[in-house]
Amino acid sequence: MIFHYPLNIFLLLPLLPVILIGLIVQGFESRWPISLLLWSITFGRNENSLICIEKNFAKLFKSRMTIFPIVQKKLINYIKSENTDVWIITGSPKSLVEHIYRDFSFFKQIYLIGTVMKRKFGGRILKVRCLGYEKVIQLEKKIGMPLKLYSGYSDSKKDDPLLFFCDYRWRVTSNGTLKKIE
């Protein structure tokens, strides 16, 4: 992003110490430091050009994406099950995930929760940073409390707060296999 708009480096550089201190003090899952980073690299850019960059990134990502057959089969099986809602809850920006997966047949049959960006102060900021326990909060807003989930899959330990509410928990390894979490 910064390479598309090199002048934003003059805004980013003085903000980097504030961003780093914010991440260290409040934790790497906190919203405002990353929101400030995002704002600094999108400030002064029109929304249409940012959407174009997002679409180009999605196209590039799709061309290099690795689909894990075991995970995909599980996803399709859940979608085909009656009385089952399938949620994809991601730390990635929701709009970006929509660009990447909207052509996949399953996408219209799932519910999506993700990081939410919005336009403010001449750039983009994060309205919601969907990481860690924030995923629990966002899902509770959608389906209510207490959470009682059948199964969950993740490639990251940062999702353990959400996986805690699943009867069956699986870690997706880097080669696409599933490892049961006890």
Side-chain angles (χ1 to χ4, degrees), residues 151-170:
S151 68
Y153 299 79
S154 175
D155 63 351
S156 171
K157 289 186 178 188
K158 291 180 182 178
D159 292 332
D160 286 353
L162 183 59
L163 293 176
F164 173 80
F165 295 96
C166 300
D167 291 337
Y168 301 95
R169 300 177 276 280
W170 301 92

Side-chain angles (χ1 to χ4, degrees), residues 137-150:
I137 293 168
Q138 293 304 312
L139 186 58
E140 286 175 340
K141 286 180 181 179
K142 299 286 185 182
I143 67 172
M145 295 172 38
L147 289 181
K148 177 87 171 103
L149 308 171
Y150 179 73

Side-chain angles (χ1 to χ4, degrees), residues 28-149:
F28 289 95
E29 294 174 4
S30 61
R31 179 181 56 86
W32 74 264
I34 299 302
S35 190
L36 185 58
L37 173 66
L38 177 64
W39 175 81
S40 72
I41 62 176
T42 60
F43 177 78
R45 306 303 160 196
N46 108 19
E47 191 62 19
N48 288 336
S49 68
L50 295 174
I51 291 169
C52 185
I53 290 169
E54 214 173 80
K55 286 179 181 178
N56 288 339
F57 176 82
K59 188 177 179 180
L60 178 65
F61 183 89
K62 282 170 75 171
S63 72
R64 297 179 181 181
M65 172 169 69
T66 301
I67 295 174
F68 297 137
I70 295 169
V71 177
Q72 186 179 33
K73 183 179 179 185
K74 290 272 191 190
L75 175 65
I76 300 304
N77 287 341
Y78 283 123
I79 289 171
K80 289 179 180 178
S81 299
E82 289 186 30
N83 300 321
T84 302
D85 291 334
V86 177
W87 291 83
I88 294 181
I89 305 166
T90 178
S92 299
K94 184 178 177 185
S95 58
L96 185 59
V97 173
E98 290 167 340
H99 287 305
I100 292 169
Y101 291 103
R102 73 169 158 228
D103 298 331
F104 286 71
S105 60
F106 68 81
F107 192 69
K108 291 179 177 72
Q109 300 168 50
I110 58 104
Y111 297 94
L112 177 64
I113 295 175
T115 293
V116 178
M117 299 181 288
K118 73 176 188 175
R119 188 94 183 153
K120 199 165 188 179
F121 308 121
R124 282 186 178 176
I125 63 165
L126 296 180
K127 182 177 178 185
V128 174
R129 186 164 188 223
C130 199
L131 288 179
Y133 195 74
E134 186 64 31
K135 290 183 176 187
V136 173
I137 293 168
Q138 293 304 312
L139 186 58
E140 286 175 340
K141 286 180 181 179
K142 299 286 185 182
I143 67 172
M145 295 172 38
L147 289 181
K148 177 87 171 103
L149 308 171

